[in-house]
Amino acid sequence: MAFQSGSPFRSGVLVAAGVLCLTGCSHKDPVDTTLGWMQHMRGGVIASQRPPPPGIYDPYPHVGLTPTTTPEMPSPQARALITQQMIRDRNLMYRTVAANGTLMPEIPPPPGAAAAPKPAATPQAGNGSGTTATQPATLPEGTAGAIMDAADAPPPQPPTPTAAADKLSKPALPSTSAPSTGGLFGADKKKDAGKGETEVAIPEIGMPDVKTTAQTPPTPASAIPQIPSGPPAPPSFPGFNIPSDAYLPDAVRPNYDLSDAKGTAIHCVPQSDQISSGQDDTFAKLVTKTPHGPFYVRGFGSAASLDAQAQADAVQLGLLRAQNIAKKLIDLKVPASAIHIRGDAFGMGARIATTP
């Protein structure tokens, strides 16, 4: 009878142990396992397995099927130009770091740290060992007594408004005391009388009236400052020399051609002489319209600085772009004698025109 009553308990223990074993083998906690069961019972897309990737059962490709065409890349001259620019930028960084110095400056100690004497180290009282202790800070002589007196004194109380009203309501009575002889007591009475008169003479405090009808008068023309035609003269101070370049004019900048270049625009890869793909129809239309030219190709180097070396590099990049465009036109049966190239420092891409 005892064995029959304990069998359901033992069955439950075995089921729980089996569930735990399955959970441990699949490396999932009970929450993930329960969630997986629910998704499987619901069915649908949640319970379906992920499809295999495409081409998983296809045979391996042959080595001979790899691309054999050379990818489009900038010309060796353009790559050499980019390398030279990177070398110059690196050397400029080295020189700039050497000129500016380290980023961690030497911070001097505070002004009071060097002047303030260090507290003397004295042995502690009653201690025969060599341990030291700093002396406590002390106040000047006579300061402690003044501080204690100020702390013990009661705070002054301001006069109440009821006392001032009583003094105003009571009429002034003649004094019945003996006339003052100018002694000490007479001086005290004069001081008391003066205090009473000061309290009575306190005026009332009120906010001024707000006037909304006030108008601001117009500002005369003579009060408006005039804008000078040129910059002010540099200041001069006695004992100081004016810099030699104070009166020099600004540096003369090159005379840029700011007009929009005419012709058909050709896009090039940034910082490269490579022609962007997808422009074959543009070249075909140009050659179909004028098969024998002439063509004036103008390449731009996208200069972003006024430095002479940067502009020279940009002109060289513009010439390389124009040369690649000329080769493209020659491949389309355009005579080489009918193509004229030019390089400019400032601009984007290139332009192809039939007139100079």
Side-chain angles (χ1 to χ4, degrees), residues 278-306:
Q279 303 182 85
D280 295 338
D281 294 341
T282 303
F283 284 94
K285 290 180 181 179
L286 290 173
V287 175
T288 303
K289 187 176 181 180
T290 54
H292 301 289
F295 291 103
Y296 295 88
V297 183
R298 188 175 179 181
F300 304 99
S302 307
S305 173
L306 299 179

Side-chain angles (χ1 to χ4, degrees), residues 50 61 72 84 93 145 156 173 183 203 226 239 250 265-266 272 303-305 318:
R50 182 181 300 176
E72 297 181 359
Q84 294 176 4
M93 181 192 65
L173 299 177
Q226 300 295 329
D250 295 338
I266 303 298
S272 173
S305 173

Side-chain angles (χ1 to χ4, degrees), residues 16-314:
V19 171
L20 293 176
C21 293
L22 292 175
T23 304
C25 294
S26 60
H27 301 284
K28 293 183 180 180
D29 55 1
V31 176
D32 294 340
T33 304
T34 307
L35 183 61
W37 289 347
M38 293 176 60
Q39 293 178 355
H40 184 70
M41 292 173 62
R42 289 178 181 178
V45 181
I46 300 177
S48 62
Q49 296 182 356
R50 182 181 300 176
I56 188 173
Y57 301 110
D58 295 346
Y60 288 98
H62 299 285
V63 179
L65 299 179
T66 56
T68 57
T69 58
T70 305
E72 297 181 359
M73 296 184 63
S75 62
Q77 295 82 357
R79 294 197 297 269
L81 178 61
I82 295 174
T83 303
Q84 294 176 4
Q85 293 176 356
M86 296 176 65
I87 292 174
R88 283 196 297 269
D89 293 342
R90 181 194 60 188
N91 296 337
L92 177 61
M93 181 192 65
Y94 290 157
R95 293 178 179 271
T96 304
V97 171
N100 295 338
T102 179
L103 297 178
M104 300 297 295
E106 296 182 1
I107 302 176
K118 296 183 179 180
T122 57
Q124 295 182 358
N127 189 3
S129 61
T131 57
T132 59
T134 57
Q135 296 180 356
T138 58
L139 297 174
E141 185 178 358
T143 308
I147 295 175
M148 295 301 297
D149 295 342
D152 295 339
Q157 297 181 358
T160 58
T162 54
D166 295 342
K167 291 183 179 180
L168 292 175
S169 61
K170 293 181 180 179
L173 299 177
S175 178
T176 56
S177 61
S180 175
T181 57
L184 179 61
F185 295 100
D188 295 338
K189 291 180 180 179
K190 289 181 180 180
K191 291 181 180 179
D192 295 338
K195 290 182 180 180
E197 293 176 359
T198 305
E199 293 178 357
V200 173
I202 295 176
E204 296 182 359
I205 300 175
M207 298 296 294
D209 298 336
V210 179
K211 297 181 180 180
T212 58
T213 58
Q215 297 181 359
T216 304
T219 304
S222 59
I224 300 176
Q226 300 295 329
I227 300 177
S229 58
S236 59
F237 300 96
F240 293 91
N241 297 327
I242 299 177
S244 59
D245 58 347
Y247 299 100
L248 294 179
D250 295 338
V252 179
R253 295 187 177 183
N255 188 14
Y256 302 136
D257 183 10
L258 302 180
S259 61
D260 190 11
K262 57 184 178 180
T264 304
I266 303 298
H267 186 270
C268 297
V269 178
Q271 302 299 328
S272 173
D273 61 344
Q274 179 185 355
I275 303 173
S276 301
S277 59
Q279 303 182 85
D280 295 338
D281 294 341
T282 303
F283 284 94
K285 290 180 181 179
L286 290 173
V287 175
T288 303
K289 187 176 181 180
T290 54
H292 301 289
F295 291 103
Y296 295 88
V297 183
R298 188 175 179 181
F300 304 99
S302 307
S305 173
L306 299 179
D307 183 59
Q309 185 63 45
Q311 294 187 35
D313 294 342

Side-chain angles (χ1 to χ4, degrees), residues 313-348:
D313 294 342
V315 172
Q316 186 176 357
L317 179 59
L319 288 174
L320 292 175
R321 290 176 173 177
Q323 289 177 2
N324 282 351
I325 293 175
K327 293 178 181 178
K328 186 79 172 178
L329 294 174
I330 292 174
D331 294 340
L332 296 176
K333 308 303 180 181
V334 176
S337 59
I339 302 174
H340 307 272
I341 63 174
R342 172 184 171 182
D344 290 278
F346 298 93
M348 300 294 293

